[in-house]
Amino acid sequence: MSGQAEGMVDKVWNVFSSMKTGLVLLGVIALVSGIGTLIPQESMDPQKAQSASEIFKMMGFTHVYSSVGFRLILGLLCVNLMVCSIQRFGGIYNQTYKPKLPSALSTLPQKIQTKVTGKANQLQQVTFDLFKLEGYRLTAEEQEDHWSFVAQKHRWGNWGSFLTHISFIVLVLGALVGSMTGFKGYFSAGVGDSLSIHDIELNRGTVTDNFNIKINSVEDRMLANGERDNWYTDLSIMESGKELARQTLSVNHPFTYQGITFYQANFTQGGKFTVEIKGQKIPIVLQNQGGNYYQVPGTDLFIIVSAIKPDPNQPVILYQVYKGNSPQPVKMGQMNKGQTDTIETTFKLTFDGLAGYTGLQVKKDPGVSVVWIGSALLMLGLILSFYFRPVTISGIIEKDTEATLTLGALSGKLKSRAEEELDKVARQIKDKLDQ
């Protein structure tokens, strides 16, 4: 049984260590990503996703990125990259820190070679001194009939592709952590409103935190020349009536609390009102163009604002009052700031002035820090790959009276560069010998 188990493990290992497996998984990911790009996703545009074809919804095409299948494919790709990286690690480590010395002329790189002749001791001294002067790391060994050595420059470049592969693993893991443990949502609120973090409209994920959000002020600031400055929201984090944090956020200047980030998404003009009923005065904020409504307590009357003239000095609003499910308003009117209207002898409505209505996106993504680490690894891998391309030159000096130095360079993908470096070294050695 143990032999069968080991055989199965070897088969699975061979599958995940195959480049073909990686290419197939990348192809599937590209196909699924194409579907997610062409078909609106619930996590990005809920309204468009709802209007998508019922067939697409049934097949799960409107939430492909959050599906178990897509996450499974990403996980399999991570496994494939990890297995390939594990297999390559030993070779890269030995190539960087424990290069194999040539034991005979036949073990030198054959594609790019050159020879230099001279007296044995002088040839050895000049060669070793020159490599060190040119910034090479030299590993040498003396045998009875020859000296063998390996000279390395930019040996850290060997790790470039390895770090690039590792970075993709970290990036995928960061994306998975964010999609599985975070959330993304939206809410709209007026000045003075307070709501629980659980009341926001979620596009994905689940809220596990527990606190309230209070909107202290909302402002659409204008510059002296009449151009818009920015939208500003003064927001407090509340818990058990105690203010835990407070900050003013604006477009491109979010506010983060315990890993939850609030982004200024939009601004809508609104009006502040006071509803007076049975001796009780209730402050409310209504959004322009019927963005929200208020039901008067103990009645089936609903108030909306249909239009606003946002003049800071003389604001004017148009309001409508509906009763029950009636499609026609039972009352509509125009009010200036400070004006009060009596509605059906039931309650009084006073327009107190303009009030902003803010729209905020809320996002928690624990995978962001992991993604940043992956991005840093990717950048480091690319820098090592493109700007620190390793050069490895092996050589053997035969201990004859007229010794021969045979040099061979590993060409890799840039054969011309290896040839240039080898010719340069050989030429400098000859010049030193002639001096």
Side-chain angles (χ1 to χ4, degrees):
M1 290 294 292
S2 61
Q4 291 180 353
E6 290 178 1
M8 182 60 68
V9 170
D10 289 339
K11 289 181 180 180
V12 173
W13 182 271
N14 290 334
V15 169
F16 281 104
S17 63
S18 170
M19 184 179 293
K20 291 182 180 179
T21 301
L23 292 175
V24 170
L25 290 172
L26 286 173
V28 175
I29 291 173
L31 177 62
V32 175
S33 299
I35 294 173
T37 302
L38 296 174
I39 299 175
Q41 299 297 295
E42 292 178 357
S43 61
M44 300 177 182
D45 197 333
Q47 293 182 345
K48 286 187 178 180
Q50 287 297 322
S51 63
S53 169
E54 292 297 327
I55 297 178
F56 291 158
K57 293 180 185 178
M58 183 179 66
M59 296 180 68
F61 287 171
T62 57
H63 55 271
V64 293
Y65 298 124
S66 58
S67 66
V68 175
F70 186 70
R71 291 171 179 172
L72 178 61
I73 295 170
L74 290 177
L76 291 175
L77 179 62
C78 280
V79 173
N80 173 251
L81 290 172
M82 282 190 286
V83 171
C84 291
S85 299
I86 290 171
Q87 282 196 324
R88 296 184 59 209
F89 179 83
I92 297 175
Y93 180 86
N94 290 331
Q95 186 178 0
T96 305
Y97 299 103
K98 298 179 179 179
K100 188 175 181 181
L101 294 168
S103 58
L105 293 177
S106 58
T107 61
L108 289 172
Q110 300 297 309
K111 289 185 178 181
I112 306 175
Q113 279 195 5
T114 189
K115 293 180 182 291
V116 179
T117 59
K119 294 182 179 180
N121 291 333
Q122 184 184 13
L123 188 57
Q124 178 202 9
Q125 190 65 44
V126 168
T127 301
F128 287 5
D129 289 347
L130 179 65
F131 275 119
K132 291 180 180 179
L133 185 64
E134 290 293 319
Y136 282 83
R137 177 180 181 268
L138 199 64
T139 304
E141 184 179 67
E142 183 176 2
Q143 299 293 335
E144 291 184 4
D145 59 343
H146 69 270
W147 288 283
S148 61
F149 64 88
V150 174
Q152 297 170 291
K153 181 187 283 188
H154 300 159
R155 59 194 177 112
W156 290 103
N158 293 319
W159 295 95
S161 61
F162 181 84
L163 288 178
T164 302
H165 282 82
I166 294 297
S167 70
F168 282 117
I169 298 174
V170 177
L171 288 170
V172 172
L173 289 177
L176 288 174
V177 169
S179 64
M180 296 175 68
T181 62
F183 68 84
K184 182 180 180 182
Y186 173 86
F187 75 91
S188 183
V191 177
D193 285 351
S194 182
L195 71 157
S196 169
I197 186 67
H198 294 276
D199 294 335
I200 68 174
E201 182 180 347
L202 289 177
N203 296 329
R204 64 170 176 84
T206 304
V207 177
T208 57
D209 300 84
N210 190 23
F211 58 81
N212 289 340
I213 307 162
K214 182 181 178 182
I215 306 301
N216 302 307
S217 67
V218 182
E219 187 178 358
D220 181 14
R221 290 184 193 170
M222 308 299 290
L223 298 173
N225 59 5
E227 294 181 358
R228 174 167 284 108
D229 175 16
N230 210 328
W231 297 326
Y232 294 90
T233 299
D234 185 351
L235 178 150
S236 291
I237 303 297
M238 310 291 294
E239 189 173 318
S240 301
K242 182 181 179 181
E243 186 178 71
L244 303 180
R246 180 171 180 172
Q247 185 169 319
T248 299
L249 60 142
S250 59
V251 177
N252 297 326
H253 297 86
F255 166 46
T256 300
Y257 174 76
Q258 291 186 350
I260 300 175
T261 303
F262 298 85
Y263 300 89
Q264 183 73 57
N266 53 53
F267 172 91
T268 304
Q269 197 62 257
K272 291 186 294 184
F273 298 86
T274 299
V275 174
E276 184 177 354
I277 182 170
K278 296 180 181 180
Q280 182 183 9
K281 293 184 177 182
I282 306 170
I284 64 172
V285 178
L286 294 177
Q287 190 175 348
N288 192 19
Q289 298 180 348
N292 66 332
Y293 65 86
Y294 177 75
Q295 182 177 2
V296 181
T299 74
D300 59 351
L301 298 174
F302 301 85
I303 313 169
I304 69 166
V305 170
S306 56
I308 293 179
K309 178 185 176 183
D311 187 330
N313 298 318
Q314 295 180 332
V316 181
I317 62 100
L318 298 178
Y319 71 90
Q320 295 177 341
V321 180
Y322 291 83
K323 187 171 185 178
N325 296 322
S326 174
Q328 299 297 324
V330 297
K331 172 78 173 178
M332 55 193 306
Q334 174 178 312
M335 300 176 69
N336 297 319
K337 181 179 180 181
Q339 183 177 341
T340 300
D341 281 2
T342 300
I343 313 297
E344 290 195 338
T345 69
T346 305
F347 68 93
K348 292 181 179 180
L349 181 67
T350 302
F351 175 41
D352 298 319
L354 298 176
Y357 220 87
T358 187
L360 301 178
Q361 287 185 350
V362 189
K363 185 177 181 181
K364 182 178 183 179
D365 191 350
V368 168
S369 57
V370 181
V371 170
W372 276 111
I373 293 172
S375 300
L377 288 174
L378 177 60
M379 183 61 66
L380 179 59
L382 293 175
I383 290 173
L384 291 176
S385 296
F386 289 99
Y387 295 99
F388 292 89
R389 294 187 179 275
V391 179
T392 302
I393 298 176
S394 301
I396 289 180
I397 303 175
E398 298 167 323
K399 293 182 179 179
D400 294 330
T401 305
E402 284 295 322
T404 301
L405 165 64
T406 305
L407 297 170
L410 293 175
S411 60
K413 295 180 180 180
L414 294 178
K415 183 179 178 181
S416 59
R417 183 170 181 270
E419 288 179 335
E420 290 176 2
E421 192 70 19
L422 187 64
D423 290 342
K424 172 186 171 184
V425 168
R427 185 172 60 254
Q428 289 179 324
I429 292 174
K430 290 177 182 178
D431 291 343
K432 290 286 184 181
L433 291 172
D434 292 339
Q435 291 179 0

